[in-house]
Amino acid sequence: QVQLVESGGGLVQAGGSLRLACVASGITFANTAMGWYRQAPGKQREFIAAIFSGLNTHYVDSVKGRFTISRDNAKNTVFLQMNTLNPEDTAVYYCNVFPADDNDSWGQGTQVTVSS
């Protein structure tokens, strides 16, 4: 079973940046597509970015051009560089395999709060 530990969240002002990291275990990481997801207060968890084993990436429109997903297969780690943050980005951020749903095992997530 996959185990995921996210880190790097925090409080940042609008326009600022954060870099999230997620260490995964229990999977053959290098061969697995990984994704970042987020859940804002009162909303369902949503997919925002994915990176495939061949390093292709995919983003939802709301983060395209501001967020960058990357991976370090030697460290079983996936990253999310977030720039030009705005209050609408406030959420708990999770990583997981891609695709993933509520039936999958999830980590504790990392809180990102963007103040205006």
Side-chain angles (χ1 to χ4, degrees):
Q1 185 174 358
V2 62
Q3 294 183 321
L4 305 150
V5 180
E6 300 93 344
S7 62
L11 173 64
V12 63
Q13 289 187 332
S17 299
L18 284 172
R19 188 186 193 217
L20 308 183
C22 169
V23 180
S25 59
I27 57 174
T28 306
F29 184 82
N31 297 339
T32 303
M34 297 296 296
W36 282 97
Y37 307 77
R38 67 185 180 185
Q39 186 168 19
K43 296 186 178 180
Q44 289 189 332
R45 184 158 42 202
E46 63 172 348
F47 160 78
I48 57 171
I51 185 165
F52 301 91
S53 59
L55 302 184
N56 290 337
T57 57
H58 174 63
Y59 302 91
V60 296
D61 286 346
S62 60
V63 307
K64 195 175 296 183
R66 300 188 299 123
F67 291 9
T68 303
I69 188 171
S70 60
R71 64 193 298 160
D72 183 342
N73 289 338
K75 297 182 179 180
N76 281 18
T77 302
V78 59
F79 302 97
L80 187 69
Q81 177 67 44
M82 306 187 295
N83 298 329
T84 319
L85 286 160
N86 60 62
E88 290 70 36
D89 296 316
T90 294
V92 179
Y93 284 71
Y94 302 86
C95 75
N96 212 323
V97 300
F98 175 80
D101 61 29
D102 288 344
N103 294 319
D104 290 294
S105 176
W106 293 82
Q108 83 287 349
T110 187
Q111 175 71 48
V112 171
T113 303
V114 185
S115 63
S116 57

